[in-house]
Amino acid sequence: MRGSLVVFSSLTWNTEKTPRISQLSGARCKRGFRLIVPASPPIEDSVIGTEPLTKEDLVKYLSSGCKPKEKWRIGTEHEKFGFKFGSLRPVEYEQIADLLNGLSERFDWEKIMEGDHIIGLKQGKQSISLEPGGQFELSGAPLETLHQTCAEVNSHLYQVKAVAEEMGIGFLGIGFQPKWGLKDIPVMPKGRYEIMRNYMPKVGSLGLDMMFRTCTVQVNLDFSSESDMIRKFRAGLALQPIATALFANSPFTEGKPNGYLSMRSRIWSDTDNNRTGMLPFVFDDSFGFEQYVGYALDVPMYFVYRNKKYIDCTGMSFRDFMVGKLPPIPGDLPTLNDWENHLTTIFPEVRLKRYLEMRGADGGPWRRLCALPAFWVGLLYDEVSLQNVLDMTADWTPEERQMLRNKVPEMGLKTPFRDGLLWHVVEDVVKFAKDGLERRGYKEAGFLNALTEVVKTGVTPAEKLLELYDGKWEQSVDPVFEELLY
């Protein structure tokens, strides 16, 4: 998630040996701007511009994601911590490389290399990638139904378990590394992560924790038009703290309770304020694709990718890049692929690409990996539920939205809100989601069952872990590696 590149559904790859010219789906490209699509899509160099980009090109890139409702899809990404049976220590890169090679050989995944290092796998529209501390991420294919999404999750976990168990490795579904400190986490050999690792301490106190010790589950959803994008963006941002509370699952740091229910969410509040947060401008009357482009143009860059190498551009803006003012490569101008990469380095609670990403949930066990897409699909892919959310949140002030973002990581559903608790708002929101799924007609509402007890009791997954810690586990976090083992 932290800067990983996921091609969702907009490019059509040419299987011939000779590249051909294609266009952005749904966009009229300025002055014949074109994409050259190679025979097999490399991860970083998939889009090459032939003329200088303009701001209008960047706006059209985002708007090219618009698609009719019958083509809306569900994309789910989830991360998990690898650990060694026995010692419970994080898995080093060498073992991860063996795991990736094993998955490739046994289950026919294509290898993704960076230099001599295997750093991921690809199969159809799915990919497996490594996060900075070795967190193992599946970026799922864009699918039509939640049944397909949950089947994809189950298939992935089966494959990983089949290879990993033979190696003495397990995977943990939790939002923050519960036992080990930063010094104990291995560093993955990916060029972009070295740049980020050097930059993070300059812009926040918890950026390295974000990179090396957090795991999330994320849902990617489509929109039909700019106005539909705006409505979904606003609903998603307003309700992101509710998703954080429902899926809060990271109460431990280095073997002890950390005072939060979602330490993962807390960490994002002091990672890099230039690229994170609740984006109040999304609720302005003037908001649209152009305004998001304006925001992204001024978010400091991390890198550009040239000749199979990452070049450090930290502190410079994409706006500078547009006029050739990047000191490491003076005069060079960006391509659409540079823009696509830059958008992946922006980390608000909801992120806009050619689809919308819901980013507020902790990693967790497999049932909640299916519940999160169910939650957001029921709310955002059903017109009645979406309007219900917009009506409910219409008079929430920017200060109230930010208060929820600040307080929920610590207090969960017991966060005070207006004349009651957030818990009572959540009851309505989950009902909206359930009703929306029932109107879809795919018999998907059962995927929300993992949230039913949370809504009924007001007790988050993190609070259940804390109860076990103080009781059955006798104040040891080691049993969590069995409790939340995939």
Side-chain angles (χ1 to χ4, degrees):
M1 238 56 82
R2 286 156 280 267
S4 60
L5 176 61
V6 181
V7 179
F8 197 63
S9 59
S10 298
L11 297 180
T12 300
W13 299 106
N14 181 19
T15 57
E16 302 168 2
K17 292 185 178 180
T18 305
R20 67 182 181 187
I21 296 172
S22 182
Q23 286 188 322
L24 284 173
S25 172
R28 293 175 297 171
C29 299
K30 185 176 177 65
R31 299 189 310 279
F33 186 90
R34 59 185 182 167
L35 307 181
I36 299 177
V37 184
S40 60
I43 291 299
E44 303 294 344
D45 285 335
S46 58
V47 185
I48 303 170
T50 60
E51 295 184 22
L53 290 178
T54 68
K55 184 177 180 181
E56 183 182 357
D57 293 323
L58 307 184
V59 172
K60 286 180 178 178
Y61 173 87
L62 293 180
S63 68
S64 71
C66 297
K67 49 178 65 72
K69 186 171 183 177
E70 61 269 19
K71 293 187 178 181
W72 291 356
R73 296 295 183 264
I74 307 160
T76 305
E77 306 174 30
H78 62 87
E79 303 166 341
K80 47 206 166 291
F81 293 107
F83 67 94
K84 302 173 188 176
F85 292 138
S87 71
L88 306 181
R89 296 192 67 87
V91 181
E92 288 95 2
Y93 171 72
E94 290 73 20
Q95 285 181 292
I96 293 174
D98 289 342
L99 174 59
L100 290 171
N101 283 315
L103 286 168
S104 173
E105 293 163 9
R106 191 175 305 186
F107 297 106
D108 197 28
W109 289 78
E110 177 187 349
K111 298 178 184 181
I112 299 170
M113 307 294 293
E114 184 172 312
D116 295 329
H117 295 108
I118 183 170
I119 60 167
L121 301 170
K122 184 174 178 62
Q123 187 180 84
K125 294 182 179 180
Q126 299 180 78
S127 64
I128 295 172
S129 60
L130 298 183
E131 294 304 313
Q135 304 97 317
F136 217 64
E137 178 181 5
L138 173 71
S139 296
L143 302 170
E144 293 184 41
T145 72
L146 293 168
H147 299 286
Q148 294 171 342
T149 294
C150 206
E152 177 188 66
V153 167
N154 290 337
S155 174
H156 168 72
L157 294 178
Y158 164 77
Q159 292 182 11
V160 170
K161 186 174 182 179
V163 179
E165 281 192 342
E166 296 174 0
M167 302 172 59
I169 294 172
F171 282 92
L172 178 68
I174 199 168
F176 187 76
Q177 167 56 249
K179 185 175 176 69
W180 304 103
L182 276 173
K183 63 179 173 44
D184 302 303
I185 309 299
V187 177
M188 296 300 105
K190 295 176 72 170
R192 65 167 65 193
Y193 294 155
E194 181 178 0
I195 292 171
M196 292 172 66
R197 189 170 70 248
N198 293 332
Y199 181 69
M200 283 296 183
K202 302 175 183 178
V203 291
S205 67
L206 299 174
L208 295 181
D209 288 299
M210 179 278 292
M211 290 181 65
F212 291 97
R213 295 204 287 176
T214 63
C215 278
T216 189
V217 55
Q218 172 180 308
V219 180
N220 305 330
L221 299 175
D222 289 314
F223 43 80
S224 61
S225 64
E226 183 172 47
S227 62
D228 186 45
M229 178 277 293
I230 294 169
R231 297 170 75 233
K232 288 173 176 172
F233 207 147
R234 290 173 177 168
L237 270 177
L239 296 188
Q240 213 59 224
I242 287 177
T244 299
L246 282 167
F247 292 85
N249 193 43
S250 47
F252 304 119
T253 299
E254 296 180 26
K256 297 179 180 179
N258 53 37
Y260 291 88
L261 302 178
S262 177
M263 175 54 80
R264 182 208 60 83
S265 183
R266 161 71 180 101
I267 280 168
W268 277 110
S269 68
D270 194 11
T271 290
D272 181 350
N273 289 337
N274 287 320
R275 66 184 76 242
T276 61
M278 292 290 284
L279 306 186
F281 66 86
V282 170
F283 296 88
D284 294 345
D285 291 341
S286 61
F287 178 67
F289 291 125
E290 184 173 357
Q291 287 71 24
Y292 193 87
V293 166
Y295 156 73
L297 281 172
D298 292 320
V299 171
M301 296 177 63
Y302 283 152
F303 56 79
V304 294
Y305 191 73
R306 293 291 183 272
N307 300 318
K308 298 184 178 181
K309 293 183 179 180
Y310 290 95
I311 300 172
D312 188 336
C313 295
T314 51
M316 303 299 294
S317 72
F318 207 90
R319 196 180 298 275
D320 296 325
F321 195 9
M322 294 278 284
V323 292
K325 291 185 179 179
L326 286 189
I329 45 173
D332 193 9
L333 294 173
T335 67
L336 271 186
N337 195 54
D338 294 319
W339 178 240
E340 185 173 42
N341 276 329
H342 178 58
L343 291 177
T344 69
T345 68
I346 301 172
F347 308 124
E349 291 297 287
V350 176
R351 179 162 63 186
L352 175 62
K353 297 180 184 173
R354 283 178 284 184
Y355 46 93
L356 285 166
E357 299 179 346
M358 306 293 120
R359 296 172 43 82
D362 286 2
W366 77 266
R367 288 187 184 277
R368 293 206 291 275
L369 297 182
C370 300
L372 187 73
F375 177 76
W376 287 116
V377 167
L379 293 173
L380 302 187
Y381 273 7
D382 176 75
E383 180 60 32
V384 175
S385 293
L386 176 57
Q387 190 59 51
N388 284 339
V389 169
L390 293 170
D391 290 343
M392 182 183 73
T393 60
D395 66 344
W396 292 11
T397 66
E399 293 76 19
E400 285 177 322
R401 293 193 297 269
Q402 188 60 46
M403 181 278 292
L404 292 175
R405 172 67 187 86
N406 294 341
K407 294 292 186 182
V408 161
E410 180 181 1
M411 303 183 72
L413 299 180
K414 297 177 180 64
T415 302
F417 185 67
R418 296 191 172 180
D419 58 351
L421 300 177
L422 186 63
W423 177 15
H424 305 303
V425 179
V426 171
E427 290 176 320
D428 290 335
V429 172
V430 172
K431 185 178 187 306
F432 293 158
K434 181 175 183 292
D435 292 345
L437 291 178
E438 289 176 347
R439 282 188 289 266
R440 270 170 59 86
Y442 292 108
K443 295 183 179 180
E444 297 170 320
F447 291 113
L448 291 175
N449 288 345
L451 305 183
T452 300
E453 187 177 359
V454 179
V455 173
K456 182 179 179 181
T457 63
V459 177
T460 63
E463 289 166 296
K464 285 194 166 187
L465 294 178
L466 289 168
E467 290 175 6
L468 288 167
Y469 174 86
D470 285 324
K472 181 180 178 182
W473 295 353
E474 299 179 339
Q475 298 192 335
S476 169
V477 299
D478 290 4
V480 80
F481 288 85
E482 182 177 355
E483 180 76 19
L484 297 181
L485 174 71
Y486 284 113

